[in-house]
Amino acid sequence: LCFRALEMIDALVLVVDDFSDTRDMYAEYLDYAGYRAQTASDGREAVRRALRTHPNVIVMDLAMPVLDGWEATRILHADPRTKDIPIVVLTGTDSDELGRQALERGAQDYLVKGQHGSDAVRRSVVFALERSKRQAAEQRQSLLAERLQLVLEASAEGICMLDATGRLTFVNRAAAELLGTAPEALLGRQLHDF
């Protein structure tokens, strides 16, 4: 087997299914593939485990007793501690409508038991991990850009940023005062226009 994201292999995957044979089969395969797998037999147990262990991905059945996968997913997405955990739906029902609903409600992927084997689940887990990692990096980058802008805005020195064509993409208040106009009036203009 070839795994693209070796740093993600140690990820914790929570497999949630009310049928122990199904649950154990996917958990064992994910263990074999290099992941740490834990299991839950219903949605309520899944929510408790997710809050306690914060898995990197959850593979969730929808039709379960006690608390179904729909409600467990809703609870997990509503809680700030678990809202960013990707959920891969793995269910026995083959329905385009059900798949659409699962994706609309925040699932990363929708797989049908029997049509998608263990390797498809592994690929879906890898995809969910990569997407989650990319989103986290984008959030960090956005936060850093906001912080940088605050620092640049607060500077008493006039600071301008240009794109590759020489157009102004950022002008702090100090630079705008030197140029005699509001920062917004300068954006997109060429520096040599002044």
Side-chain angles (χ1 to χ4, degrees):
L1 294 174
C2 176
F3 301 102
R4 297 182 321 138
L6 293 178
E7 72 277 3
M8 295 180 184
I9 291 300
D10 192 42
L12 177 61
V13 180
L14 175 58
V15 179
V16 187
D17 198 299
D18 55 324
F19 288 104
S20 60
D21 289 346
T22 303
R23 186 175 60 237
D24 294 344
M25 176 187 69
Y26 286 113
E28 286 175 22
Y29 181 79
L30 290 166
D31 276 335
Y32 171 78
Y35 296 95
R36 292 177 296 122
Q38 63 180 207
T39 62
S41 60
D42 60 60
R44 184 171 57 200
E45 185 182 357
V47 170
R48 278 188 291 205
R49 281 189 185 268
L51 288 168
R52 191 172 63 247
T53 64
H54 202 77
N56 300 95
V57 177
I58 299 171
V59 177
M60 178 89 70
D61 187 17
L62 293 177
M64 295 181 289
V66 184
L67 184 69
D68 68 23
W70 293 111
E71 186 62 14
T73 297
R74 187 195 64 72
I75 291 168
L76 291 165
H77 283 159
D79 191 311
R81 297 169 292 176
T82 55
K83 70 180 180 65
D84 294 326
I85 299 173
I87 296 175
V88 174
V89 169
L90 179 66
T91 186
T93 306
D94 183 9
S95 163
D96 290 341
E97 178 62 20
L98 199 62
R100 185 187 58 73
Q101 288 177 9
L103 296 174
E104 284 176 356
R105 294 181 188 187
Q108 297 284 316
D109 203 355
Y110 174 83
L111 301 174
V112 179
K113 297 175 194 174
Q115 291 183 10
H116 298 96
S118 297
D119 200 50
V121 172
R122 183 198 54 80
R123 283 192 307 271
S124 189
V125 165
V126 168
F127 172 74
L129 287 168
E130 288 174 349
R131 184 174 178 194
S132 178
K133 186 177 179 180
R134 189 172 47 255
Q135 287 172 338
E138 288 169 0
Q139 288 173 346
R140 280 191 305 275
Q141 184 177 0
S142 177
L143 182 61
L144 288 173
E146 288 174 18
R147 288 179 180 170
L148 176 61
Q149 186 163 355
L150 289 173
V151 169
L152 295 176
E153 282 290 346
S155 175
E157 300 294 320
I159 301 173
C160 298
M161 291 184 194
L162 308 171
D163 67 11
T165 67
R167 295 195 183 281
L168 291 164
T169 60
F170 174 83
V171 179
N172 73 352
R173 295 232 176 262
E177 286 176 17
L178 289 172
L179 296 170
T181 188
E184 300 81 31
L186 298 168
L187 296 178
R189 296 180 62 188
Q190 297 282 340
L191 187 59
H192 62 73
D193 291 344
F194 302 95

